[in-house]
Amino acid sequence: MRTLVLPLFWVILSAGHVTSKADAPRPVLVPGKIDLKTIDGIESLSLLLTDQAGVAVKDLSNTATWQVEPADLARVEPGPTLIPLRGGEGKLIARTADGKTAEAKIRIASPAARQSWSYENHVMPVLTKTGCNSGPCHGAMAGKNGLRLSLRGYAPEVDYDALVRQASGRRVRPGVPEESLMLWKATGLVPHGGGTRLAAGSRDYRIIADWISTGAPGPQVNAPHVVRLEATPARARFEAGERGRVIVRAVYSDGTSEDVTGWAKFGTTDSTILAVDDDGRLKAENPGEAHVTVWYANQVTTVPVSVPNPAKVEPNLFAQAPRFNKIDEINLAKLQALGLPPSPDAGDAAWLRRATLDITGQLPASDRLKSFLADKAPDKRRKEVTRLLATPEAIDYWAYQWSDLLLVSSNKLSTPALWAFYGFVRESVAANEPWDKFVRRIVTAKGSSLTEGAGNFYAIHRDPTDLTETTSVAFLGLSLTCARCHNHPMEKWTQDQYYGFASMLGRVGLKDGDAAGEVIVSDRPDGEIYHPRRGKPMPPQPLDAPPLAAPDTRNRRDALADWMTSPENPLFARAIVNRVWKKFFGRGLVADEDDIKATAPPWDADLLAWLEADFKAHGFDMRHLISTIATSAVYARSSDPLPGNRSDTLYLSRNVPRRLPAEVLLDVLSQVTEVPTPFAGFPEKWRAVQLPDSKVANGFLSAFGRPERLTTCSCERTNEPSVAQALNLANGEALNGKLRAENGLPRRWADSPMTEEEIVDGLFLKALARQPTPAERAKLVTGMKEAVAGIDDAAKRKEARRTAVEDLFWAVLTSDECLFNH
């Protein structure tokens, strides 16, 4: 790919911003108020240097001095952690190394009360944090050494029975709790395959021992449960090398809260940017942004931590960067926070090639390219996107995208049903049917699958489990598979929620029709989905919503469609916006488009939120969404890196080249050579992206990663390079047959009176949407002339020229610049 010369204004410098005293960060003590209801409570502490926006820029906790007044009220232990000593009131003072102070009031219940430890909210968290109920230990399917616990405690009543009643009651001894087997094993007093998990005398040890001493009370039906987590700092910006700590509070259904930092599970979304240990202590490693993930009691939260680029970028560079819509404003704010300079615009020719490929799966025609470059209208890109979206090629291309998503193929459908399903999809794209209406028609489809093509969604997914999981992935971007067997180990989705959601689809009726391949889809008046552990039917319940009320007269699928496509649903628009974004940038705002989860938040949450809101505000209009993305300055940036953004492949400071999808690549070879690819049973000039069935045999498409459409997973399509791909390009008939074809463009140009210069220029314009550089032209023209030099025989000279032109086409078509969208 050629190197672009940066316009002069990109290197103009401006005066730096001077920070006023009022803007200076200040120390903040967290929590701001300490209120302990019992003498057994603790409070994790942080002293954070925060800016005016409340963003933590430095953690001063370990360098500060801590003082409690009165001194006998509590003490501060390393961590730092406040440990109460008696009931009463006072204050905590934290003093920085340079003498600044921050204070918090302390109140400890008086007379000092003792904590009543609960099985659900205290014992289970200890077992989970120590790994006792993890997959490698007693949480394994078969348990370990006679003790089986549910994975991370998703079935507390079952675990309680195993701990208290099984093994002849030896695991807990209320009369002498310190002789309980579960404490002996955990502290290593007797042989234990898991090693020592608790230190004798530690707080967690005392919780288990005290719980046992009070009779080991079991799970309580009305016990308060965790409704959300609060992590501090809420947001941080640390220089590389800085260290800090995340502290966590659990808020319960009865309005109380407590410090659960010691029991929470911590992780990181990118360990190359942010390292996090089991105690929530973090270290900023390299420039970028990552999140600390926090899991506790099936609740999840995250803390975004940005690590700015140490190389300073002049503010003027961001101020002068083009802004075509809100996408650009939000992205530039992110780049400025991270210190990543944006690359300049790629230019009209590169933009047109990029946009035409992404919207239609085709290259721009040479004549169209010339007219577009000659057009001086300031809004010509917006008009071009509108024109492209209305073309039959764009309709074919986006129908193909959604056919991938919906698994349209003859794997499970007869030929008539296949065409009915594909026809439904293509007609919807052609009409620009709003996405919510399109999905509603699928979810509520009834009648013959041959006349109501959307009904084939149910013909493909006859198994309730398959139907539940495909529906959640395709339309909500959620992978619920883990919750089929147990609560999700790192997400909030529970097994109860899984089967409540499955019950929304539990009454779909399917029967064979009279015609070949016909399926009649209906709603049965009965039919329940049973919870495998509870052994009872689960009431139908959308995710994160109340169950359907008994008087609700809607059938369950209508109710599901109402909930799913509602503008109030936070899952629906997010999923499709993320999918479409990925098709234009190669990576979604959430990396895994099929498994959007709280522990893998978007790399720019503000941008995703705005796109969702804008998509909803415009009635779920797919063409509006595509146009908004394709006309942004972010999308138009050059793929040539600047020194300051060379390592960035995520935040879109520059365009990241993407290899063309298999079908588009094959069509591009056909388009440039003007030799269509033959597909058995289809018209002569049928393109790969027009194929309704992924099972149409073609070795080139298989080698370059065409998905089989067996499961709703973007992982089915692969752009990973392989030996098979190299062999296809080097010797395969898909390309070389087109180069040698009698009626193909290479042969016609070789046999024409065109000069070598005209052939080179024409091919570059057709395949690369640009003119060759003088050096490229001179080298290629010289090579072509040398190929025929000294050959006097007319027939041999003609053949040599043909070979030279074929070699030229091969070299250009197999170059990275042609194989990639950039």
Side-chain angles (χ1 to χ4, degrees), residues 517-549:
E518 181 182 33
V519 174
I520 308 299
V521 183
S522 64
D523 289 293
R524 295 180 288 122
D526 53 21
E528 305 296 340
I529 300 294
Y530 280 75
H531 194 296
R533 178 167 53 84
R534 302 186 189 280
K536 63 181 183 180
M538 291 298 292
Q541 182 175 8
L543 298 171
D544 273 353
L548 297 191

Side-chain angles (χ1 to χ4, degrees), residues 608-636:
L608 181 56
W610 182 83
L611 285 166
E612 289 177 48
D614 185 66
F615 186 50
K616 293 175 185 177
H618 287 83
F620 299 90
D621 187 327
M622 188 61 66
R623 290 186 185 178
H624 170 79
L625 173 62
I626 292 171
S627 179
T628 302
I629 294 172
T631 56
S632 67
V634 171
Y635 179 72

Side-chain angles (χ1 to χ4, degrees), residues 352 364-373 765:
L352 183 64
S366 298
D367 289 345
R368 182 61 198 164
L369 175 61
K370 292 176 182 176
S371 64
F372 183 76
L373 295 178
L765 203 63

Side-chain angles (χ1 to χ4, degrees), residues 86-410:
R86 64 170 176 84
E89 296 184 5
K91 64 179 179 179
L92 173 68
I93 304 170
R95 183 171 285 102
T96 66
D98 60 357
K100 295 185 177 67
T101 62
E103 297 184 2
K105 291 183 178 180
I106 302 174
R107 180 181 180 277
I108 303 170
S110 181
R114 301 309 299 261
Q115 177 76 49
S116 177
W117 304 114
S118 85
Y119 178 77
E120 301 96 318
N121 295 326
H122 301 109
V123 175
M124 276 178 50
V126 171
L127 297 177
T128 300
K129 182 66 175 183
T130 55
C132 298
N133 55 20
S134 65
C137 200
H138 300 290
M141 182 66 71
K144 290 285 185 181
N145 296 326
L147 174 59
R148 178 185 175 187
L149 301 174
S150 62
L151 186 63
R152 296 205 176 187
Y154 75 88
E157 68 284 353
V158 175
D159 295 348
Y160 178 79
D161 184 74
L163 289 169
V164 176
R165 298 192 178 100
Q166 293 178 13
S168 302
R170 292 185 301 115
R171 294 189 176 113
V172 297
R173 298 188 65 186
V176 278
E178 64 277 4
E179 295 183 10
S180 299
L181 187 60
M182 67 181 296
L183 286 176
W184 278 2
K185 289 257 187 181
T187 55
L189 290 177
V190 297
H192 180 219
T196 300
R197 313 304 296 183
L198 281 177
S202 66
R203 182 170 187 262
D204 286 350
Y205 176 95
R206 294 197 309 273
I207 288 173
I208 300 294
D210 289 351
W211 169 72
I212 294 173
S213 70
T214 58
Q220 303 299 308
V221 175
N222 297 318
H225 60 275
V226 180
V227 293
R228 73 175 187 275
L229 302 179
E230 296 177 348
T232 305
R235 189 177 188 90
R237 183 177 66 252
F238 289 163
E239 300 289 338
E242 288 284 347
R243 297 178 182 271
R245 182 193 187 197
V246 174
I247 60 178
V248 186
R249 294 191 69 79
V251 179
Y252 293 91
S253 54
D254 63 355
T256 62
S257 66
E258 69 177 324
D259 180 6
V260 295
T261 306
W263 298 327
K265 291 278 188 179
F266 297 94
T268 175
T269 56
D270 192 332
S271 59
T272 65
I273 295 173
L274 186 68
V276 182
D277 68 13
D278 291 342
D279 298 320
R281 300 185 186 281
L282 60 92
K283 180 186 177 185
E285 298 282 8
N286 293 293
E289 185 174 76
H291 289 71
V292 178
T293 62
V294 184
W295 182 96
Y296 177 76
N298 275 107
Q299 296 294 319
V300 176
T301 191
T302 62
V303 176
V305 180
S306 60
V307 185
N309 190 339
K312 300 304 179 185
V313 181
E314 290 297 329
N316 237 25
L317 187 60
F318 299 102
Q320 295 176 353
R323 289 168 168 82
F324 299 153
N325 58 37
K326 189 70 173 181
I327 290 174
D328 306 321
E329 294 180 21
I330 298 172
N331 176 255
L332 285 168
K334 172 70 71 175
L335 296 184
Q336 188 163 12
L338 295 174
L340 291 170
S343 287
D345 191 277
D348 282 341
W351 177 88
L352 183 64
R353 182 182 190 271
R354 184 184 298 168
T356 306
L357 281 168
D358 281 338
I359 294 173
T360 71
Q362 294 262 280
L363 290 167
S366 298
D367 289 345
R368 182 61 198 164
L369 175 61
K370 292 176 182 176
S371 64
F372 183 76
L373 295 178
D375 187 352
K376 303 304 180 185
D379 62 345
K380 66 179 182 179
R381 290 185 181 179
R382 180 185 58 78
K383 291 179 178 178
E384 182 64 14
V385 170
T386 301
R387 186 193 73 81
L388 288 171
L389 284 168
T391 61
E393 291 79 10
I395 294 169
D396 290 334
Y397 185 60
W398 287 93
Y400 197 91
Q401 304 297 314
W402 307 142
S403 293
D404 273 355
L405 180 68
L406 298 172
L407 307 184
V408 179
S409 80
S410 59

Side-chain angles (χ1 to χ4, degrees), residues 695-707:
K695 291 191 72 176
V696 175
N698 185 280
F700 184 94
L701 294 178
S702 298
F704 279 85
R706 175 181 61 175

